[in-house]
Amino acid sequence: MRYWLMKTEPTSYSIDDLAREGATSWTGVRNYQARNFMRDDMKVGDGVLFYHSSCPEPGIVGLAEVSDAAHPDPTQFDARSKYFDPASRPDAPRWVNVEIKLVRRTRLLPLEELRAYPELAAMPLLQRGNRLSITPVTAAEWRFLQKKLK
DNA sequence: GCCAACGTTGGC
DNA sequence: GCCAACGTTGGC
């Protein structure tokens, strides 16, 4: 059982969308490090911090969990998709996605507040220049955040 | 394999 | 809109 933080721009997919749908396919990831986390490490039942980025109030807005393991991302083969990858072949898919489902909404826990807790200082999200959309969360960070999100 | 150029991310 | 940071691309 591991824990993760997943970033999304709410203008493209928000906690409201997840609340309405209940679950979603995490398609469109086109970064090898993030793909490798999904492919190699993310298991059904893993905990997910759902984070809004590139918006007026960046921060954690919900808790989710992995509801299905990685499988080939269909958008890579769809020529009309913005995530189309002409170099990827169906017999050797380059990109995968997991599924996540909502556990519950939380209050907005702003980036600014995350930065203020020494207990969270090692989170990749908070490191300068970090852009990775999926990052691991330690068990200690997860427990700490559960209390802050009660 | 190096590395400059370019594109993207994301907070501010 | 700015810009720092980083990943990817492609010529050599």
Side-chain angles (χ1 to χ4, degrees), chain A residues 38-53:
Chain A
M38 288 198 284
R39 187 190 61 189
D40 304 332
D41 300 315
M42 296 178 83
K43 308 295 182 199
V44 172
D46 281 5
V48 173
L49 303 167
F50 195 91
Y51 179 92
H52 279 176
S53 67

Side-chain angles (χ1 to χ4, degrees), chain A residues 3-5 47-51 59-63 104 106-111 113-117 119-121 123-126 135-150:
Chain A
Y3 307 99
W4 307 92
L5 183 141
V48 173
L49 303 167
F50 195 91
Y51 179 92
I60 295 167
V61 292
L63 298 173
R104 66 177 174 90
T106 63
R107 70 176 175 97
L108 170 71
L109 200 171
L111 177 59
E113 183 181 342
L114 293 172
R115 288 197 190 286
Y117 296 126
E119 292 89 341
L120 303 179
M123 289 183 77
L125 175 76
L126 305 180
T135 49
V137 174
T138 68
E141 290 160 351
W142 178 266
R143 281 194 304 271
F144 181 82
L145 283 163
Q146 296 304 304
K147 292 177 195 160
K148 300 298 177 186
L149 292 169
K150 275 206 170 106

